[in-house]
Amino acid sequence: RINPISPAIPPFKVLQERFEQNLQRQKQSVPATKPRPFSMYTDHRPNRMDRVLRDIERDAVLLPEQRWPHASSRAPRRAAPVDVGPPPDSAFRTTLATELRRASLEDERDMREALERQKEAEDAARIRRQRAKDAEIAAVLKHTYVSHEADNRRRRQQMMEDFKERRENWEKTKSEMESRVSKRPYLFEQASAAAHVDRARQERLEQFEQTLRDNGLGDLIE
């Protein structure tokens, strides 16, 4: 048994050979399975193929045919000669009924052709009227489109002029604001000037009170 903590490399090839030898010994020690002979029922069953073939031949003769009207049997038949009678006369003969039927068919054909021609003429006239209406509508729409296009052009021109005027006014207002801002002192200068003004006002107020006290009018202050 190999110590799992040992740093040495195990002999894998020797271990594999030892494992294979043990496997072969174990296989040889187990006896092989020997099957027992057995017989199937199909080997002793009588052959009925001849009977089946005879039944098929009998059905082909006695059973009714498979196609409509299923009146005769399936047995083959011999073609009997057909009596077509004497040959027809070479002269072509017509009757009054045939002539009337032909005349009626010709009248119906002429009437149908006349109706078709009338329908084609009506369709052509309808197409011409529709084209004329389409031309009138196109002319009206063209005039309307031209007038709308002129109105749109005037509106765009007016909008451009208004935008230009607003831009000029904005530029003027902006320049005035910039000039006022440039002339105005900084915030710290404004705060300093305000403090100076407050200090001067306080000094003048104190000087005024002192003048009143010097003149004996101090009770007015109190």
Side-chain angles (χ1 to χ4, degrees):
R1 187 175 180 181
I2 301 175
N3 187 4
I5 306 178
S6 176
I9 299 175
F12 294 106
K13 187 174 182 181
V14 176
L15 295 175
Q16 181 66 22
E17 292 177 356
R18 190 181 304 168
F19 172 76
E20 291 178 356
Q21 292 175 2
N22 294 332
L23 183 61
Q24 291 297 330
R25 284 196 299 271
Q26 292 178 5
K27 286 182 179 180
Q28 293 175 2
S29 62
V30 177
T33 303
K34 295 181 180 180
R36 292 184 298 176
F38 60 94
S39 61
M40 300 184 68
Y41 174 72
T42 55
D43 297 336
H44 306 284
R45 189 173 59 181
N47 189 1
R48 296 190 177 89
M49 184 57 65
D50 297 337
R51 181 179 176 182
V52 172
L53 294 176
R54 288 195 304 270
D55 291 342
I56 292 174
E57 292 177 357
R58 183 175 59 82
D59 293 341
V61 175
L62 298 179
L63 291 179
E65 60 181 352
Q66 297 179 352
R67 63 182 182 177
W68 186 85
H70 310 288
S72 61
S73 63
R74 302 181 186 179
R77 292 189 176 186
R78 295 181 180 180
V82 180
D83 187 9
V84 297
D89 297 338
S90 59
F92 181 75
R93 298 179 180 179
T94 60
T95 61
L96 179 60
T98 304
E99 295 293 338
L100 293 176
R101 184 166 58 253
R102 183 182 298 110
S104 176
L105 293 176
E106 291 178 355
D107 293 340
E108 290 180 359
R109 184 184 58 189
D110 295 339
M111 185 178 297
R112 186 168 55 254
E113 292 178 355
L115 291 176
E116 291 178 355
R117 288 194 296 270
Q118 182 179 359
K119 185 178 180 181
E120 291 178 357
E122 291 177 356
D123 293 339
R126 180 176 54 81
I127 292 173
R128 287 194 298 272
R129 290 195 300 270
Q130 186 65 34
R131 288 180 178 177
K133 290 181 180 179
D134 294 341
E136 293 177 0
I137 294 172
V140 174
L141 291 176
K142 183 177 180 180
H143 178 70
T144 306
Y145 175 76
V146 171
S147 61
H148 286 329
E149 186 67 20
D151 294 340
N152 293 332
R153 193 180 299 108
R154 286 194 298 272
R155 291 195 188 97
R156 286 196 297 269
Q157 185 68 24
Q158 186 65 31
M159 289 174 61
M160 291 177 63
E161 292 178 356
D162 295 342
F163 177 76
K164 184 177 180 181
E165 184 178 359
R166 289 196 300 270
R167 188 178 182 83
E168 291 177 355
N169 294 333
W170 164 247
E171 292 292 342
K172 182 178 180 181
T173 305
K174 181 180 177 183
S175 60
E176 292 176 356
M177 291 173 61
E178 290 178 352
S179 63
R180 289 196 301 270
V181 170
S182 62
K183 294 177 181 179
R184 182 180 300 176
Y186 295 105
L187 291 177
F188 66 90
E189 294 179 351
Q190 295 179 10
S192 178
H196 182 70
V197 170
D198 293 339
R199 189 168 51 254
R201 185 182 295 108
Q202 187 65 28
E203 291 178 356
R204 294 295 183 275
L205 183 58
E206 292 177 356
Q207 185 178 1
F208 178 70
E209 292 177 353
Q210 186 63 34
T211 303
L212 290 176
R213 291 190 184 94
D214 293 342
N215 294 325
L217 300 175
D219 55 348
L220 296 176
I221 301 173
E222 297 178 358

